[in-house]
């Protein structure tokens, strides 16, 4: 694919792909071929909404490179897999402050996923967003 699906230059949603053959598998990030059957795949904008499938807390700094510590140094963060409406699971950093506790994170909670530099980010949906 010509465009990096994790690029912030992508204006709308997560850039995935869907198999054009019979299996119709959705993939993220976008692939030129289907990961299941090897057939051709075409770009598809994914909804970016889904549910938290599982999660953990990253308590130590990842390998460097590619990780670059922020100016204040490394701080633990929550990381999870989100199952999108299209059925694909996406790894994402959870935008929650774990210093306030982990009670706000639960498997099955509705989230919104956005692309950016590196790993996508997921944030819990507000009650108003859940209803729409």
């Amino acid at each position: 694919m010509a465009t990096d699906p994790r690029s912030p230059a992508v204006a709308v949603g997560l850039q995935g792909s869907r198999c054009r053959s019979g299996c119709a598998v959705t993939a993220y990030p976008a692939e030129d071929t289907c990961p299941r059957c090897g057939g051709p795949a075409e770009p598809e904008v994914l909804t970016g909404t889904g549910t938290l499938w599982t999660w953990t807390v990253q308590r130590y700094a990842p390998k460097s490179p590619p990780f670059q510590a922020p100016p204040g140094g490394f701080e633990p963060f929550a990381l999870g897999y989100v199952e999108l409406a299209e059925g694909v699971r996406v790894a994402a950093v959870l935008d929650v402050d774990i210093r306030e506790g982990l009670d706000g994170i639960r498997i099955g909670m509705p989230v919104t996923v956005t692309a950016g530099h590196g790993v996508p980010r997921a944030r819990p949906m507000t009650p108003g967003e859940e209803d729409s």
Side-chain angles (χ1 to χ4, degrees), residues 11-44:
V12 182
L14 296 170
Q15 298 297 303
S17 59
R18 181 178 296 273
C19 178
R20 293 190 320 213
S21 300
C23 71
V25 165
T26 301
Y28 178 84
E31 299 286 340
D32 290 327
T33 58
C34 174
R36 180 181 291 159
C37 72
E42 58 191 15
E44 180 170 313

Side-chain angles (χ1 to χ4, degrees), residues 110 125-132:
M125 285 187 185
T126 62
E129 289 174 312
E130 290 178 40
D131 297 336
S132 57

Side-chain angles (χ1 to χ4, degrees), residues 91-110:
V93 172
L94 303 177
D95 282 334
V96 295
D97 188 347
I98 65 170
R99 293 173 294 186
E100 294 178 8
L102 302 172
D103 294 340
I105 305 172
R106 64 175 171 38
I107 292 174
M109 72 183 203

Side-chain angles (χ1 to χ4, degrees), residues 2 4 6 8 16 29 32 35 42-43 58 65-66 69 107-109 111 119:
D4 180 351
R6 295 161 290 213
D32 290 327
E42 58 191 15
Q58 177 81 27
I107 292 174
M109 72 183 203
V111 295
V119 177

